[in-house]
Amino acid sequence: MSAQTPPRLVDLAGRHLLRADDLDFPTLESLPTELFPPLFLEAFTGYRTETLKAMVQTWPFVRLPLGALIELPHVGPLQAVLEALDVLLAQKVRSRRCKLRVLDLRNTGQSFWSMWSGASSYGCSGSRMAAVAEPRSMTKQPSTPLKVFIDLCLKKRTLDNFLTYFLRWVEQRKTSVHLCCKKLKIISMPMDNIVKVLSMVQLDCIQEVQVSCTWNLSTLATFAPLLCEMSHLQRLRLSHVHVSAFKKQEHGHVVQITSQFRRLGHLRDLHLESPSFLEGCLDQMLRCLKSPLDTPPILLEKVAATLQDLDLDLCGITDSQLEACLPALSRCSQLRRVTDLGVFSWKRDSPSFGLSCGRF
């Protein structure tokens, strides 16, 4: 039988520390970096709040990904982390060991924990992950705010206890904490609460918005100014929009909505389940987009029964995009005129182009 490889000293030290009731700052200051993730997991799942607080204040990584560890409604460990961050943010000087700049509450941290925790019997990584301990010294508090990432899903008429607690925590620390949300989903929540939540979010961080409930046109008009502040928005999906029979009263709402939509310069994916409210002004909205929509055939299919004029002036359409649009254009039975013929000159005489675009 081959002799078993004896455990490393760092493995033995890890086993000993995991049995300890609490870890003090002097111990954490000299702790090898590779021991932090498995020890943090042990403290988080074991509700050892004092150890958690001490580890947050000496966290040797830039990012702390907690989203994969949170189990709602049991948020006691997360509250302990926020309390530790309060201490950290209030410090004028902090331990040089602490590199924490980002708290990530999205469910995206599995790779971090698996990388650092599965290679040994008690959860530490192998020797190739090892890092030397840094000297116990102090450094000035960084001037950049702490970034907190979260994906928001607003689906209740009132905020749950955790979200209420968390947003209040963010609101009271606006100068030192920036709340960043890349994905926003709205299922059911009053507009007043939506506005309140988004007032605490860095809106220019939002890249995807999905509204999965039926809004009145007036509700969408109220939301539109917030939408235009999402300067990096790439994907927008709107469910049904209810339009009143009194079109004259709704006209002002449509003007307000389209004027804000025109500012979405990075929008690449627009999905409207009921685009009829844009009748007569869809062209004004789309022509202001700085980036081409990734899936224009879907839009053409929605308006195929009524489309009469197609203006592609300065749209920058490519040959491959044109080929993708031809099946949808072939179903536009009312199409009478296409402008900017130079774009299509290479296809003017082809059978497929004649079938698709009819007379011009």
Side-chain angles (χ1 to χ4, degrees), residues 213-239:
C213 53
T214 299
W215 277 355
N216 293 325
L217 205 56
S218 60
T219 304
L220 180 56
T222 302
F223 184 72
L226 296 173
L227 198 64
C228 86
E229 294 185 45
M230 304 174 190
S231 55
H232 291 86
L233 187 66
Q234 298 179 15
R235 178 174 296 177
L236 174 61
R237 301 178 65 88
L238 293 178
S239 186

Side-chain angles (χ1 to χ4, degrees), residues 134-196:
E134 298 181 17
R136 190 189 316 169
S137 55
M138 308 300 287
T139 184
K140 289 184 178 181
Q141 166 76 5
S143 58
T144 56
L146 174 75
K147 290 187 177 182
V148 181
F149 284 89
I150 188 172
D151 288 334
L152 288 172
C153 182
L154 307 181
K155 59 182 178 179
K156 294 183 179 180
R157 295 193 61 82
T158 55
L159 299 175
D160 60 46
N161 292 336
F162 162 67
L163 196 55
T164 300
Y165 169 82
F166 173 71
L167 291 176
R168 186 182 298 119
W169 183 85
V170 172
E171 185 179 25
Q172 295 171 352
R173 296 155 183 82
K174 278 191 173 181
T175 58
S176 55
V177 174
H178 282 181
L179 182 60
C180 303
C181 169
K182 291 190 176 182
K183 296 181 180 181
L184 170 65
K185 187 174 183 179
I186 302 173
I187 297 179
S188 62
M189 179 172 281
M191 183 54 63
D192 289 345
N193 282 353
I194 294 174
V195 173
K196 181 179 179 180

Side-chain angles (χ1 to χ4, degrees), residues 6-254:
R8 300 176 304 152
L9 291 178
V10 70
D11 296 336
L12 295 174
R15 295 192 185 110
H16 173 73
L17 289 171
L18 288 176
R19 290 194 294 266
D21 292 334
D22 289 304
L23 297 175
D24 55 20
F25 281 100
T27 302
L28 292 173
E29 286 283 356
S30 59
L31 190 69
T33 300
E34 68 173 7
L35 289 183
F36 267 80
L39 291 176
F40 187 91
L41 283 172
E42 176 73 14
F44 196 91
T45 56
Y47 296 89
R48 296 163 64 175
T49 57
E50 295 305 315
T51 298
L52 274 179
K53 293 177 182 179
M55 296 194 74
V56 168
Q57 295 173 54
T58 52
W59 189 247
F61 306 96
V62 172
R63 176 171 169 260
L64 177 55
L66 285 188
L69 307 182
I70 298 174
E71 294 182 4
L72 297 176
H74 306 293
V75 294
L78 178 58
Q79 292 177 350
V81 171
L82 297 182
E83 291 174 9
L85 289 175
D86 280 337
V87 176
L88 202 61
L89 293 172
Q91 292 175 346
K92 294 183 179 179
V93 292
R94 65 170 58 166
S95 166
R96 181 173 294 178
R97 187 70 188 274
C98 183
K99 299 292 189 297
L100 183 58
R101 301 291 181 270
V102 176
L103 174 64
D104 196 341
L105 300 180
R106 300 170 297 178
N107 192 23
T108 57
Q110 294 90 340
S111 59
F112 173 86
W113 301 109
S114 60
M115 177 183 72
W116 288 96
S117 66
S120 66
S121 57
Y122 68 92
C124 286
S125 58
S127 59
R128 62 185 181 88
M129 296 287 189
V132 296
E134 298 181 17
R136 190 189 316 169
S137 55
M138 308 300 287
T139 184
K140 289 184 178 181
Q141 166 76 5
S143 58
T144 56
L146 174 75
K147 290 187 177 182
V148 181
F149 284 89
I150 188 172
D151 288 334
L152 288 172
C153 182
L154 307 181
K155 59 182 178 179
K156 294 183 179 180
R157 295 193 61 82
T158 55
L159 299 175
D160 60 46
N161 292 336
F162 162 67
L163 196 55
T164 300
Y165 169 82
F166 173 71
L167 291 176
R168 186 182 298 119
W169 183 85
V170 172
E171 185 179 25
Q172 295 171 352
R173 296 155 183 82
K174 278 191 173 181
T175 58
S176 55
V177 174
H178 282 181
L179 182 60
C180 303
C181 169
K182 291 190 176 182
K183 296 181 180 181
L184 170 65
K185 187 174 183 179
I186 302 173
I187 297 179
S188 62
M189 179 172 281
M191 183 54 63
D192 289 345
N193 282 353
I194 294 174
V195 173
K196 181 179 179 180
V197 171
L198 294 184
S199 68
M200 304 173 211
V201 176
Q202 301 292 310
L203 295 180
D204 58 349
C205 291
I206 297 179
Q207 297 179 3
E208 298 182 20
V209 172
Q210 179 177 347
V211 179
S212 300
C213 53
T214 299
W215 277 355
N216 293 325
L217 205 56
S218 60
T219 304
L220 180 56
T222 302
F223 184 72
L226 296 173
L227 198 64
C228 86
E229 294 185 45
M230 304 174 190
S231 55
H232 291 86
L233 187 66
Q234 298 179 15
R235 178 174 296 177
L236 174 61
R237 301 178 65 88
L238 293 178
S239 186
H240 295 289
V241 178
H242 176 72
V243 181
S244 170
F246 302 99
K247 291 188 176 181
K248 290 184 178 179
Q249 297 179 8
E250 300 282 36
H251 179 70
H253 297 317
V254 174

Side-chain angles (χ1 to χ4, degrees), residues 318-338:
T318 64
D319 293 350
S320 59
Q321 289 172 329
L322 175 59
E323 291 284 359
C325 289
L326 289 179
L329 282 172
S330 68
R331 290 189 283 273
C332 297
S333 57
Q334 303 299 316
L335 188 63
R336 301 176 305 182
R337 182 170 59 92
V338 178

Side-chain angles (χ1 to χ4, degrees), residues 265-278:
H266 290 83
L267 190 66
R268 297 187 61 86
D269 187 345
L270 176 62
H271 180 89
L272 304 175
E273 290 192 12
S274 52
S276 59
F277 72 92
L278 292 173

Side-chain angles (χ1 to χ4, degrees), residues 296-352:
I298 296 177
L299 179 62
L300 290 173
E301 290 173 0
K302 293 288 186 181
V303 298
T306 57
L307 182 64
Q308 295 182 354
D309 298 287
L310 181 60
D311 185 353
L312 297 171
D313 185 34
L314 300 178
C315 70
I317 192 169
T318 64
D319 293 350
S320 59
Q321 289 172 329
L322 175 59
E323 291 284 359
C325 289
L326 289 179
L329 282 172
S330 68
R331 290 189 283 273
C332 297
S333 57
Q334 303 299 316
L335 188 63
R336 301 176 305 182
R337 182 170 59 92
V338 178
T339 61
D340 194 15
L341 298 181
V343 175
F344 293 103
S345 60
W346 66 280
K347 283 283 187 178
R348 178 191 292 268
D349 298 325
S350 70
S352 61

